[in-house]
Amino acid sequence: MRIAIIGTGYVGLTTGVCLAYVGHEVQCLDTDTAKIAALKSGRTPIYEPFLEELLADAAPRIRFTTSYEEAIPGADVVFIAVGTPPSPGGGPDLQYLRLASQSIGAHLDHEFTVVVNKSTVPIGSGNWVDSLIREAYETAKGKRPAGCFSVASNPEFLREGSGLHDSLYPDRVVVGSDDPKSLDTLYALYRPMLDQSFTAPTYLPRPEALAAVPLIATDLASAELIKYAANAFLALKISYINEISQLAERVGADIAQVAKGIGLDARIGMRFLHAGIGWGGSCFGKDTAALVSTAAEYSLDMPIVKAAREVNRRQRDVVVEKLLSALRILKGRTIGLLGLAFKPNTDDLREAPAIEIAKKLIERGCKVRVHDPVAMERFRREYPGIDVILCDSPEKVAENADAVVLVTEWPQYSDLDWEAIAKTMRTPILLDGRNVLDAARLRGIGFRYIGMGTVEPAAHLDVLVKA
Ligand code: UGA
């Protein structure tokens, strides 16, 4: 099939490369000429593991352009995957969606094209996109579209950092449209993923248990709501375990054991029960806010989703409170932060906990040193106003620091020579914001290890007092 993808951000590019890899002819369009030039030469503008490899493997079937005239005519499916960033008023800024829809309408030229909303858009946007395309088509062609297109929703469930894996091996594919012909087209498009009939790349092996992927075909509004309901549920699952982690600390319980104990109940499930600093990234914050505000338009309150947001906000304060309680005075202290990206395997800094935590510490008079394996350059570009010291290694972050906080659980941070690091710190205090480090080993080395919802053994505190 011939596919056009508008927008080469995380979602658009990942979708385009995966669809080309499984055999479709794909044109990726972006209005950013620098991005397109980079992609044409095989370089990807975002950090996503194996994206460049998959792009090289898909190269015969993928092209990049800045021209709607080149991408749209003849396309069987057009994906809209443009950004919908938060606007100053809180709701999503839909200007790019409007522009993309109008440009698609002005260039449609095929027997039948399905226009798919892949961006996370407010519920009801499908109808709006339909009317924008219709108007632009009529203006450009001087006639009605007469059944030559239809709008569908195909929400994206990929996680940054494992976007290619999630696209090639999804748990399910959701397609929503009020037009059965669109659903048929999308079924044919996703057939290689649904049947898992493509040859898996060696660097992205197929999960052993995966045989076939279910397709959920719904009406337009249901597909749009599925996206928000899924993200809000994941966000509240994390907030729930974080809330329980607060109580765990107070009663002397260990949150990892509690999470395992509840997660092995198949009705609850183990995933997204990892307690820590809380969720960041561009999706959970934006989507939970949008859900609350959409509900408000219908005079509906959403206390559960609101509470998940509040608990998440509180987790950032917990980090500062823990440092305060360990150090007594924060003013004049040097704090090292390991990790800037909102999660490992990405350079995305949107709503990254590290940024909020750094700001809070600076406000309290701390000197903040930071390191990230891939997001430093981006941080330098996008946050020049935040007065932190960028260090080129995790060891430098710890040098003469009063405490180090592990903010992003990059795997390489677990393998550091912590023994050597402890010797270079002013006080060996380690706050493991993601509960991923080996607490017993670190305590053995002499660290005061502080977790999020974990028990601090009294015996260890005695040793510290004696020292
Ligand atoms: C999320 C969803 O997981 C995807 O299904 C969805 O497609 C995507 O949003 C989107 O709407 O585009 P993403 O934000 O990329 O994906 O990353 P996640 O892996 O979900 O992590 C989000 C945040 O939650 C991270 O800051 C992570 O550290 C945190 N998290 C995750 C926890 O604190 N605990 C957990 O147990 C899991």
Side-chain angles (χ1 to χ4, degrees):
M1 291 173 94
R2 288 191 57 184
I3 317 295
I5 303 206
I6 317 300
T8 57
Y10 283 99
V11 170
L13 195 52
T14 307
T15 306
V17 172
C18 289
L19 288 174
Y21 179 80
V22 301
H24 297 298
E25 290 297 325
V26 177
Q27 289 237 46
C28 289
L29 180 150
D30 204 297
T31 47
D32 185 332
T33 46
K35 259 190 186 177
I36 292 299
L39 284 163
K40 277 184 171 171
S41 63
R43 280 177 292 120
T44 56
I46 50 167
Y47 177 84
E48 184 67 31
F50 305 116
L51 186 55
E52 284 192 0
E53 288 88 336
L54 201 67
L55 177 59
D57 285 347
R61 286 178 301 280
I62 192 163
R63 281 178 296 150
F64 297 96
T65 179
T66 53
S67 155
Y68 277 90
E69 212 172 327
E70 237 175 77
I72 305 300
D76 299 302
V77 181
V78 177
F79 282 98
I80 306 180
V82 294
T84 50
S87 65
D93 177 351
L94 300 178
Q95 59 164 318
Y96 305 108
L97 182 63
R98 175 195 290 274
L99 272 174
S101 308
Q102 289 168 334
S103 307
I104 293 165
H107 292 93
L108 272 183
D109 193 4
H110 192 42
E111 206 178 305
F112 182 65
T113 303
V114 186
V115 180
V116 184
N117 252 339
K118 194 91 178 155
S119 305
T120 304
V121 292
I123 299 158
S125 297
N127 297 334
W128 182 60
V129 165
D130 185 284
S131 70
L132 289 169
I133 295 175
R134 205 165 285 280
E135 275 166 29
Y137 183 95
E138 285 179 17
T139 309
K141 308 253 151 89
K143 60 175 184 184
R144 288 168 173 244
C148 78
F149 84 97
S150 150
V151 173
S153 163
N154 170 218
E156 184 50 67
F157 303 109
L158 66 84
R159 293 158 301 165
E160 284 180 27
S162 46
L164 298 173
H165 180 277
D166 293 351
S167 299
L168 291 172
Y169 312 119
D171 289 341
R172 80 299 203 187
V173 173
V174 174
V175 291
S177 175
D178 299 332
D179 167 24
K181 207 169 157 196
S182 286
L183 295 175
D184 287 346
T185 307
L186 293 176
Y187 176 64
L189 174 84
Y190 278 114
R191 200 69 200 268
M193 270 85 163
L194 300 174
D195 299 347
Q196 289 292 305
S197 53
F198 61 90
T199 307
T202 47
Y203 42 89
L204 282 165
R206 178 174 288 121
E208 258 172 43
L210 186 67
V213 172
L215 176 88
I216 317 293
T218 71
D219 58 86
L220 202 49
S222 299
E224 289 172 344
L225 182 54
I226 283 170
K227 170 69 191 191
Y228 285 100
N231 268 3
F233 188 80
L234 293 169
L236 71 90
K237 212 173 165 190
I238 300 167
S239 281
Y240 177 73
I241 202 67
N242 282 334
E243 186 168 284
I244 296 291
S245 81
Q246 295 294 310
L247 184 61
E249 268 180 20
R250 284 161 178 78
V251 302
D254 177 61
I255 197 60
Q257 294 184 45
V258 175
K260 197 170 176 191
I262 63 172
L264 283 171
D265 183 329
R267 293 169 300 174
I268 296 174
M270 289 295 288
R271 295 169 75 187
F272 279 67
L273 278 186
H274 202 97
I277 286 171
W279 34 270
S282 69
C283 305
F284 288 169
K286 182 166 66 102
D287 292 355
T288 49
L291 202 53
V292 169
S293 82
T294 302
E297 284 171 25
Y298 293 85
S299 308
L300 182 71
D301 192 21
M302 290 218 140
I304 294 178
V305 182
K306 282 184 183 166
R309 290 173 57 76
E310 173 54 20
V311 168
N312 198 58
R313 193 201 55 72
R314 215 170 63 181
Q315 286 305 104
R316 316 290 204 248
D317 292 334
V318 168
V319 172
V320 179
E321 283 155 20
K322 279 176 181 280
L323 289 172
L324 187 63
S325 126
L327 292 165
R328 307 290 171 207
I329 290 167
L330 284 178
K331 210 173 176 54
R333 302 286 194 186
T334 299
I335 311 291
L337 301 184
L338 291 179
L340 285 167
F342 83 95
K343 60 182 277 190
N345 294 322
T346 178
D347 62 348
D348 196 339
L349 295 164
R350 287 174 291 177
E351 294 199 33
I355 290 168
E356 284 172 63
I357 292 166
K359 283 186 187 160
K360 283 180 196 289
L361 292 171
I362 293 166
E363 267 167 33
R364 296 246 185 181
C366 297
K367 211 185 271 172
V368 178
R369 302 163 70 87
V370 300
H371 173 265
D372 189 282
V374 304
M376 303 261 277
E377 198 37 56
R378 194 162 189 167
F379 180 84
R380 204 172 278 134
R381 258 194 339 263
E382 294 179 4
Y383 294 90
I386 303 183
D387 187 16
V388 295
I389 301 156
L390 292 164
C391 301
D392 56 17
S393 72
E395 289 78 12
K396 288 237 171 75
V397 160
E399 247 171 51
N400 291 322
D402 294 285
V404 164
V405 184
L406 184 130
V407 184
T408 314
E409 67 278 34
W410 284 97
Q412 49 269 59
Y413 291 153
S414 298
D415 299 330
L416 296 176
D417 182 351
W418 285 106
E419 198 157 1
I421 287 176
K423 292 189 185 120
T424 70
M425 290 178 68
R426 198 171 293 142
T427 41
I429 294 175
L430 182 55
L431 200 174
D432 180 0
R434 298 291 180 180
N435 291 345
V436 287
L437 301 175
D438 183 341
R441 193 174 82 82
L442 290 162
R443 286 189 175 120
I445 289 170
F447 271 104
R448 169 150 184 216
Y449 172 93
I450 306 168
M452 301 288 289
T454 60
V455 197
E456 274 191 72
H460 173 70
L461 295 181
D462 287 342
V463 173
L464 262 188
V465 172
K466 277 178 216 146

